Structures are given as structure tokens and as C-alpha cells.
């Protein structure tokens, strides 16, 4: 998939350069655009309309599948945890949630220090419903929490979807093994649909990037993408090399960096290339055995971590959501930003195990600020453009942390 997405990116740049070079005729592209205010007629306009169609189809497919994906994955993730599990699992789970929440806070901090803005269509629509602070956000959040589940799915109310997924997941924890197996199979079936949709990502990304590059200031917009990617990677590096070692130190009370570096090299590097926490489970199992960890603990915590330990996903959701907020000119206070971190943490716990799965949870976080679903899905589309690097780094952070936190708890028990 990485190679195919890269081909889509290169093809979009090449087609855009050729169109801008030859599409203006004798007058020249820049002069033609300056005179008319739009892409010249003829084949340049046809190229632009084709790019718009491919991009709109891809974003539309993502919009269709995202609500069902969030509902199924969150419900299944919560339901699969069984009562009476090995006691060492509880402290591992605590570290998973703490690490994910800390990652979201780091993302919020960097987003405030280095704000990102995007070029989106129809942004004026969201400005009409800008929240008036934490009180307005909380009131809107509470109303969305009690929304009818069918209406929540139909209207893409991701806060309501998340709430019903959590409640039903907790209820299904007491269901039979067969029922929990069914929920996992439903979640896997939905994930397969997502994989099918994402298999068209190269064509969708080709269209989205082509439309961007054929706009009058198209190539200057690439600077915004690079800035956004820099914030994402900076947050992930800060979590991997500063925040996670600090969390591990609180457990083992000695230099955490030998363990951190081992996990990054032997788990993070393979995960970077596979771009799948699930695919990296055998690698993590082998590393846990090599580190001499308790098998009864890591045999549960590592597969569970591949589902709910998603610090990288929390960073992606938070940074891209705040980029949308900045683009729309909305004001966010500190309390609302903390609330966003909580929502990103909960949403990340249900992130899909497929490449780019966290991007489909962005509308859930955008719903906090009453951002229109069409705008939110455009932001997800931007995420797919930079996903060649972003998703690889995200998966490397997620998967390496599964082993890191399991090892921290195990070594603390042996201390």
C-alpha cells in the first residue's frame, strides 16, 4: 500500500506540473489563471474535474463507512476484556490509557505552539456554529451523548456513536463467549470493508492532491502539509523519547532508555514498514519472550495493546482536529483542549487495525466543535495524503509501546 500511495502522489505531482506547464497555451498558465480566476478551459479543466471526482468518491466512501466502523470497533474493544483476567493486566491497561492520554496532551501542546492550517472547501459553513467556550461545548456534548443510536449512526454523530459503543461494550462484557466472538467478527467484517475502501486510497489521493496542486496557489499549499507532518512527527518523537521513558521510570525506578531503545529497534522498526499493529503482534510476542516477560501477562497484553494502546492514533486525531479548528478560525480554551484529549484517547482505543484507520476517527473529535462532517472528512483526506510517513510513524509508536509498557509492569513486579 505504501508503494501504491507513493505512486499516486508522484503521479499527481507530475500531472499537475505538466498541466500547469502546457495548459495555459501561448498565454501561459499563470497569466490565464490571473485573467480568468479559474483553470483554463479544455483539457486542463477536464483534468481538474477528473481529480475532483476521484477525490470526492474516496472521501464519500470514507464518510459512509466511518460511523459504522467507530461503533463496531469501540463496542468490540470494550466487550472483549473479561473479568477475572490475570492481575498483572490491570497495571498494563493503566499504562496504556495513561500513555495514550499523555500523547494526546503532547499533541495539544505542540498544536498550540505550532498551529497548522489547511485549505478546505466550504469552511464558512462551520463558522456559523462556532462554540462559545467549554460550557457550550459540554452542553453540546451532553446532548449528543443522549442521541438515539440509530440517529447517531445516520447523522454521523460520532459523540453519540462513541457513547453507545462504550455502553454496549460494557454491557456485552457480561455476555456469553459466543456473543463476544460475534462482536469481534462483526468488527473484523467492518474492518474488511474499510480495507476495501482504503485499497482505493492511491486513486483518491491522486485526485485530492491533483485538485490542490491545480489551484492558483497549489504548490504553496504543500508547505502547509509539510508543517502539519512536522507537528505530527515531532509529537510522536517527543512521546517515544521523553514521555514514555518517564512513564516507564515511574514503574521500574531505573534508567528506562535501554528498554525504550530495544523496543523501538526490535518492534518499532518492523511496525514502521508493516503499518499494522496487528501484523506486528508476532514480532512483539517474540520480543517479549526474549526479554523474559511473564507469558501469562504478555500473551494477553500485547494482542490487547494492538487494539487499545494507540498513542500515535491519539496524536493524529488531536493534531488534525486542531488543524481543522485553526482553519475555521475557532477559539479553543485550555479546558476544551483537555476534553479533546479525553475524546481522542477514547477514540484511539477503538482505532481500526488497518493502515490509516485512525484518520476515520477524526470526525468524532471534530464533532466536539460542531464542525460539519463534510469538512471533517476533507481533513481525513489530507491525512491520507501525508499517511505514507504519518501512518508508518504512528504504527511504530503504537506497537513498540505495547511491549514497552508490558515490560515495565513485568520488571516492576520482579523488583
Amino acid at each position: 500500500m505504501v508503494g501504491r500511495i507513493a505512486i499516486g502522489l508522484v503521479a499527481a505531482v507530475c500531472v499537475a506540473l505538466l498541466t500547469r506547464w502546457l495548459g495555459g497555451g501561448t498565454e501561459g498558465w499563470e497569466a490565464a489563471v490571473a485573467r480568468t480566476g479559474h483553470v483554463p478551459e479544455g483539457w486542463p479543466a477536464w483534468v481538474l474535474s477528473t481529480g475532483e471526482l476521484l477525490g470526492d468518491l474516496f472521501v464519500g466512501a470514507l464518510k459512509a463507512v466511518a460511523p459504522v466502523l467507530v461503533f463496531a470497533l469501540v463496542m468490540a474493544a470494550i466487550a472483549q476484556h473479561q473479568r477475572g483476567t490475570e492481575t498483572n493486566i490491570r497495571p498494563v491497561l493503566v499504562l496504556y490509557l495513561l500513555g495514550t492520554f499523555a500523547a494526546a496532551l503532547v499533541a495539544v501542546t505542540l498544536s498550540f505552539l505550532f498551529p497548522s492550517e489547511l485549505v478546505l472547501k466550504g469552511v464558512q459553513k462551520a463558522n456559523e456554529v462556532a462554540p462559545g467556550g467549554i460550557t457550550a461545548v459540554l452542553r453540546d456534548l451532553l446532548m449528543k451523548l443522549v442521541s438515539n443510536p440509530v440517529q447517531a449512526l445516520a447523522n454521523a454523530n460520532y459523540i453519540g456513536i462513541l457513547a453507545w459503543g462504550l455502553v454496549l461494550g460494557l454491557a456485552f462484557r457480561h455476555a456469553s463467549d459466543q456473543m463476544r466472538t460475534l462482536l469481534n467478527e462483526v468488527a473484523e467484517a467492518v474492518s474488511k470493508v474499510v480495507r476495501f475502501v482504503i485499497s482505493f486510497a492511491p486513486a483518491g489521493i491522486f485526485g485530492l492532491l491533483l485538485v490542490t496542486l491545480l489551484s492558483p496557489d497549489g504548490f504553496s499549499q504543500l508547505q502547509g502539509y509539510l508543517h502539519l507532518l512536522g507537528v505530527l512527527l515531532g509529537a510522536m518523537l517527543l512521546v517515544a523519547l521523553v514521555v514514555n521513558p518517564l512513564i516507564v521510570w515511574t514503574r521500574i525506578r531505573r534508567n528506562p532508555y535501554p528498554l525504550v531503545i530495544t523496543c523501538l529497534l526490535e518492534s518499532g522498526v518492523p511496525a514502521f514498514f508493516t503499518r499494522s499493529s496487528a501484523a506486528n503482534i508476532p514480532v512483539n510476542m517474540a520480543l517479549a519472550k526474549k526479554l523474559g516477560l511473564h507469558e501469562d501477562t504478555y500473551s494477553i497484553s500485547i494482542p490487547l495493546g494492538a487494539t487499545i494502546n494507540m498513542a500515535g492514533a491519539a496524536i493524529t486525531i488531536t493534531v488534525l482536529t486542531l488543524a481543522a479548528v485553526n482553519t475555521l478560525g475557532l477559539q479553543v480554551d485550555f479546558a476544551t483542549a483537555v476534553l479533546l484529549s479525553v475524546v481522542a484517547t477514547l477514540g484511539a482505543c477503538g482505532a481500526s487495525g488497518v493502515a490509516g484507520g485512525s484518520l476515520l476517527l477524526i470526525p468524532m473529535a471534530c464533532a466536539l466543535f460542531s464542525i460539519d462532517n463534510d469538512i471533517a472528512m476533507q481533513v481525513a483526506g489530507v491525512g491520507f495524503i501525508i499517511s505514507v510517513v504519518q501512518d508508518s510513524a504512528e504504527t511504530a509508536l503504537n506497537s513498540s509501546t505495547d511491549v514497552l509498557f508490558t515490560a515495565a509492569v513485568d520488571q516492576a513486579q520482579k523488583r
Side-chain angles (χ1 to χ4, degrees), residues 98-117:
L98 176 61
T100 303
F101 180 67
L105 288 179
V106 168
V108 165
T109 302
L110 290 188
S111 293
F112 275 109
L113 292 175
F114 309 100
S116 302
E117 292 189 11

Side-chain angles (χ1 to χ4, degrees), residues 141-158:
L141 175 63
L142 290 174
M143 295 305 297
K144 289 177 178 177
L145 283 174
V146 297
S147 174
N148 181 291
V150 177
Q151 291 179 344
L153 285 168
N155 299 328
N157 171 11
Y158 287 91

Side-chain angles (χ1 to χ4, degrees), residues 29-76:
W29 175 274
E30 300 296 342
V33 171
R35 178 174 56 82
T36 63
H38 55 72
V39 174
E41 299 295 333
W43 67 267
W46 177 82
V47 171
L48 178 62
S49 63
T50 301
E52 290 177 339
L53 177 62
L54 291 174
D56 290 345
L57 285 174
F58 180 59
V59 172
L62 293 177
K63 287 167 57 180
V65 73
V68 182
L69 174 73
V70 173
F71 182 69
L73 289 180
V74 171
M75 183 169 57

Side-chain angles (χ1 to χ4, degrees), residues 350-388:
S352 172
V354 301
S358 61
L359 299 175
L360 300 182
L361 299 174
I362 291 171
M364 177 195 66
C366 286
L368 271 178
F369 307 98
S370 299
I371 295 176
D372 183 75
N373 192 46
D374 291 337
I375 301 295
M377 274 306 174
Q378 287 185 55
V379 178
V382 171
F384 275 101
I385 291 175
I386 62 174
S387 66
V388 172

Side-chain angles (χ1 to χ4, degrees), residues 27-339:
E27 183 181 13
W29 175 274
E30 300 296 342
V33 171
R35 178 174 56 82
T36 63
H38 55 72
V39 174
E41 299 295 333
W43 67 267
W46 177 82
V47 171
L48 178 62
S49 63
T50 301
E52 290 177 339
L53 177 62
L54 291 174
D56 290 345
L57 285 174
F58 180 59
V59 172
L62 293 177
K63 287 167 57 180
V65 73
V68 182
L69 174 73
V70 173
F71 182 69
L73 289 180
V74 171
M75 183 169 57
I78 299 298
Q80 71 177 329
H81 177 64
Q82 301 180 24
R83 300 178 64 183
T85 304
E86 165 68 37
T87 55
N88 280 351
I89 296 300
R90 180 171 296 178
V92 176
L93 288 175
V94 170
L95 291 190
Y96 283 171
L97 293 175
L98 176 61
T100 303
F101 180 67
L105 288 179
V106 168
V108 165
T109 302
L110 290 188
S111 293
F112 275 109
L113 292 175
F114 309 100
S116 302
E117 292 189 11
L118 308 171
V119 178
L120 304 173
K121 296 184 294 184
V123 295
Q124 68 282 355
K125 185 174 184 180
N127 281 330
E128 299 172 1
V129 288
I134 185 62
T135 302
V137 170
L138 285 175
R139 184 182 186 283
D140 188 52
L141 175 63
L142 290 174
M143 295 305 297
K144 289 177 178 177
L145 283 174
V146 297
S147 174
N148 181 291
V150 177
Q151 291 179 344
L153 285 168
N155 299 328
N157 171 11
Y158 287 91
I159 301 301
I161 292 170
L162 179 61
W164 280 103
L166 287 170
V167 171
L168 289 175
L170 290 171
F172 280 125
R173 283 177 58 185
H174 305 281
S176 64
D177 292 340
Q178 292 85 350
M179 189 64 205
R180 286 197 297 270
T181 300
L182 176 62
L183 290 177
N184 286 331
E185 290 176 350
V186 169
E188 179 58 27
V190 176
S191 295
K192 287 181 179 179
V193 174
V194 175
R195 292 187 187 100
F196 175 74
V197 172
I198 292 180
S199 68
F200 292 95
I205 289 170
F206 171 82
L208 291 168
L209 185 57
L210 186 61
V211 171
T212 297
L213 297 180
L214 287 181
S215 63
D217 58 344
F219 279 88
S220 65
Q221 293 180 24
L222 290 180
Q223 296 178 0
Y225 292 158
L226 293 176
H227 180 275
L228 179 66
L229 184 60
V231 174
L232 284 166
L233 296 181
M236 292 179 191
L237 284 172
L238 189 60
V239 170
L241 299 177
V242 178
V243 176
N244 283 350
L246 182 61
I247 293 174
V248 171
W249 178 83
T250 63
R251 298 292 305 184
I252 64 177
R253 297 294 180 177
R254 62 175 182 271
N255 182 7
Y257 281 98
L259 181 60
V260 170
I261 298 302
T262 297
C263 292
L264 286 174
L265 291 178
E266 299 195 28
S267 174
V269 172
F272 183 90
F273 292 102
T274 63
R275 300 176 75 207
S276 171
S277 295
N280 212 48
I281 287 176
V283 176
N284 284 348
M285 290 284 198
L287 177 57
K289 184 175 182 179
K290 177 181 176 181
L291 293 172
L293 307 185
H294 197 286
E295 186 174 2
D296 289 343
T297 299
Y298 75 72
S299 63
I300 298 174
S301 67
I302 287 179
L304 189 60
T307 303
I308 68 171
N309 182 35
M310 296 288 174
I315 290 171
T316 297
I317 294 168
T318 303
V319 170
L320 285 170
T321 298
L322 289 177
V325 168
N326 293 332
T327 301
L328 301 174
L330 306 181
Q331 299 298 316
V332 179
D333 54 30
F334 178 76
T336 306
V338 173
L339 182 60

Side-chain angles (χ1 to χ4, degrees), residues 389-406:
V389 178
Q390 167 268 323
D391 196 48
S392 296
E394 174 185 315
T395 307
L397 176 60
N398 291 341
S399 191
S400 63
T401 308
D402 295 345
V403 184
L404 179 65
F405 287 164
T406 300

